[in-house]
Amino acid sequence: MQISELADRAGVTVKAVRYYERLGLLAPQRLSNGYRDYDDGQLRAAREIRELAAVGIPPSKAAPFIACLGSGHARSDECPAAVVAYADGIAELDAAIAALEARREQLSRRLASAAVVPPSPDQGSGCTVVASLLPR
């Protein structure tokens, strides 16, 4: 099948398919006219790359899963390297969550110490604390 058909059937863009090729995840045959020729195995790999991306494994880290499929396994996560990639993905998420929680705490502290609204012209010179903005 040609690149546009593969992209359509895999639910990705042609640009994504070319990106997967640059990463070495897909390697189509070339026809005599220079067109790429994809087989069902590459369709399956492209679908798997899309599904992995949906759960947080970017195409740049999909190689262990695609290699597992390429070695004949029924599922892309039946190989030890794929399991390690899952664990790495979870560790990256945990680190990102911790960083976000730390940033949220810093913002909450800043908000609590700076939650004032400048007075309107008819209120005089006082400032009003915006209690509704303070974290609960």
Side-chain angles (χ1 to χ4, degrees):
M1 77 189 82
Q2 292 183 356
I3 192 168
S4 59
E5 181 182 354
L6 175 92
D8 186 52
R9 290 178 61 189
V12 299
T13 64
V14 168
K15 185 176 179 178
V17 173
R18 289 187 180 122
Y19 176 59
Y20 302 162
E21 286 182 40
R22 282 194 305 276
L23 292 174
L25 301 172
L26 300 178
Q29 298 295 314
R30 290 283 181 162
L31 300 175
S32 60
N33 59 6
Y35 287 9
R36 294 169 174 91
D37 184 33
Y38 298 91
D39 60 26
D40 287 339
Q42 290 160 337
L43 172 61
R44 184 173 178 212
R47 285 178 176 158
E48 185 66 19
I49 295 164
R50 184 198 70 223
E51 290 173 13
L52 289 166
V55 297
I57 305 283
S60 61
K61 296 186 179 184
F65 300 94
I66 302 310
C68 193
L69 285 177
S71 67
H73 289 274
R75 292 181 23 180
S76 70
D77 56 5
E78 292 180 342
C79 299
V83 174
V84 169
Y86 278 150
D88 290 347
I90 290 169
E92 287 176 17
L93 285 173
D94 288 343
I97 289 167
L100 287 170
E101 287 174 342
R103 285 179 49 199
R104 185 186 191 291
E105 181 59 33
Q106 289 174 339
L107 284 172
S108 294
R109 281 196 308 272
R110 286 177 161 240
L111 175 62
S113 68
V116 295
V117 175
S120 63
D122 61 331
Q123 285 182 319
S125 63
C127 292
T128 306
V129 173
V130 182
S132 65
L133 293 178
L134 296 175
R136 300 177 204 270

